[in-house]
């Protein structure tokens, strides 16, 4: 999970709707269903997320799945936040994808549903969110080493709630770890420029990052921090 920096200005249709927010769950549901600005809002959310899913860091378009607009705090629990820019992210998957996937492969907002404990949930809008998670070569994401018991519980809760170890995600992360690890070894053996490889893997191209940015950042180690600081300081 990587921090999503929200801009100060929300998309115009969203700001207009949020000026008179719903007051109850029924109103939130009906008004959201009728909201005609979803396409514009989703595009703006993806732009601020560098085209990655806000929870899984999957670049949905690259992997043949869609996204939906996700309410971090469910609108049934916080109807007044239904149209609040600071409560919305773009999350894989689209509803049309669900019938093509096994239930165990549903992740992100579609796994979370209405379940949400704000005291335990780690949000990608938390500037410190990335410190809670670490990735293994087998594609599994888990709590980072050195966390307190309280913070480790939050990481485990968030991983379970969002199903971030869904088989489909684990397989994709493992494949990309193995591919990048092989490239790192190949560059080292042949004296090729590791900085250039790191730039390709971590620096945005045309406003987009590649999938699993945080995992690749971890694998590339100190060089990742050096390259990001120099070429993409907003991500460092």
């Amino acid at each position: 999970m990587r921090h999503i920096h929200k801009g100060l200005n929300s998309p115009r249709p969203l700001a207009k709707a949020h000026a008179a927010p719903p007051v109850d769950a029924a109103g939130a549901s009906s008004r959201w269903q009728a909201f005609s600005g979803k396409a514009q809002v989703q595009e703006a959310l993806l732009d601020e997320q560098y085209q990655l899913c806000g929870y899984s860091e999957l670049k949905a378009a690259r992997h043949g799945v869609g996204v939906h607009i996700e309410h971090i705090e469910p609108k049934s629990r916080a109807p007044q936040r239904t149209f609040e820019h600071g409560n919305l992210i773009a999350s894989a998957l689209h509803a049309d994808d669900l019938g093509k996937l096994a239930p165990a492969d549903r992740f992100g907002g579609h796994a979370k549903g209405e379940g949400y404990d704000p005291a335990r949930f780690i949000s990608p809008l938390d500037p410190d969110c990335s410190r809670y998670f670490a990735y293994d070569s087998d594609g599994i994401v888990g709590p980072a080493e050195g966390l307190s018991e309280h913070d480790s519980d939050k990481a485990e809760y968030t991983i379970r709630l969002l199903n971030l170890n869904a088989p489909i995600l684990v397989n994709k992360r493992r494949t990309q770890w193995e591919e990048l690890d092989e490239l790192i070894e190949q560059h080292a053996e042949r004296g090729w420029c590791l900085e250039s490889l790191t730039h390709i893997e971590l620096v945005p191209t045309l406003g987009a990052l590649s999938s699993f940015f945080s995992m690749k950042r971890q694998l590339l180690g100190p060089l990742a921090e050096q390259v990001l600081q120099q070429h993409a300081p907003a991500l460092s």
Side-chain angles (χ1 to χ4, degrees), residues 24-25 28-29 32 71 73-82 87 114:
D24 56 31
S29 179
W32 182 253
H71 294 81
E73 186 172 10
K75 57 185 181 292
S76 61
R77 296 178 51 145
Q80 74 282 1
R81 303 192 70 195
T82 299
N87 192 42
E114 298 298 309

Side-chain angles (χ1 to χ4, degrees), residues 66-145:
V67 301
H68 70 280
I69 299 173
E70 163 75 355
H71 294 81
I72 294 178
E73 186 172 10
K75 57 185 181 292
S76 61
R77 296 178 51 145
Q80 74 282 1
R81 303 192 70 195
T82 299
F83 298 99
E84 181 183 316
H85 184 212
N87 192 42
L88 303 179
I89 62 170
S91 170
L93 308 147
H94 190 275
D96 292 345
D97 299 315
L98 301 183
K100 307 170 190 175
L101 297 173
D105 277 329
R106 297 177 183 179
F107 61 87
H110 288 295
K112 169 172 160 269
E114 298 298 309
Y116 173 78
D117 181 349
R120 300 176 74 195
F121 184 73
I122 300 167
S123 166
L125 302 186
D126 176 358
D128 211 24
C129 65
S130 62
R131 77 173 183 86
Y132 289 89
F133 305 99
Y135 303 86
D136 292 333
S137 59
D138 59 5
I140 297 290
V141 58
E145 292 185 5

Side-chain angles (χ1 to χ4, degrees), residues 198-221:
T198 303
H199 191 285
I200 290 168
E201 294 292 339
L202 296 183
V203 175
T205 301
L206 300 177
L209 291 167
S210 62
S211 292
F212 310 127
F213 170 86
S214 296
M215 181 190 74
K216 293 174 179 178
R217 181 178 186 173
Q218 174 190 311
L219 181 55
L220 286 159

Side-chain angles (χ1 to χ4, degrees), residues 2-3 5 50 228-229 231-236:
R2 57 169 297 275
H3 173 232
H5 175 73
Y50 295 91
L228 289 172
Q229 185 62 45
H231 297 286
L235 298 175
S236 63

Side-chain angles (χ1 to χ4, degrees), residues 51 58-65 172 176 179 209-211:
Q51 305 303 310
L58 184 75
K59 189 175 182 180
R62 177 71 175 80
H63 291 269
V65 297
K172 289 179 184 297
Q176 295 212 11
E179 289 174 351
L209 291 167
S210 62
S211 292

Side-chain angles (χ1 to χ4, degrees), residues 11 37-51 67-69 85 89-90 207:
K38 290 191 184 79
Q40 182 179 344
V41 171
Q42 181 172 293
E43 182 178 357
L45 295 174
L46 283 170
D47 284 346
E48 67 188 9
Q49 294 171 205
Y50 295 91
Q51 305 303 310
V67 301
H68 70 280
I69 299 173
H85 184 212
I89 62 170

Side-chain angles (χ1 to χ4, degrees), residues 1 53-57 70 72 89 91 108-109 112 121 124 162 164:
M1 186 180 290
C53 167
Y55 290 142
S56 68
E57 298 186 29
E70 163 75 355
I72 294 178
I89 62 170
S91 170
K112 169 172 160 269
F121 184 73
L162 299 175
L164 294 180

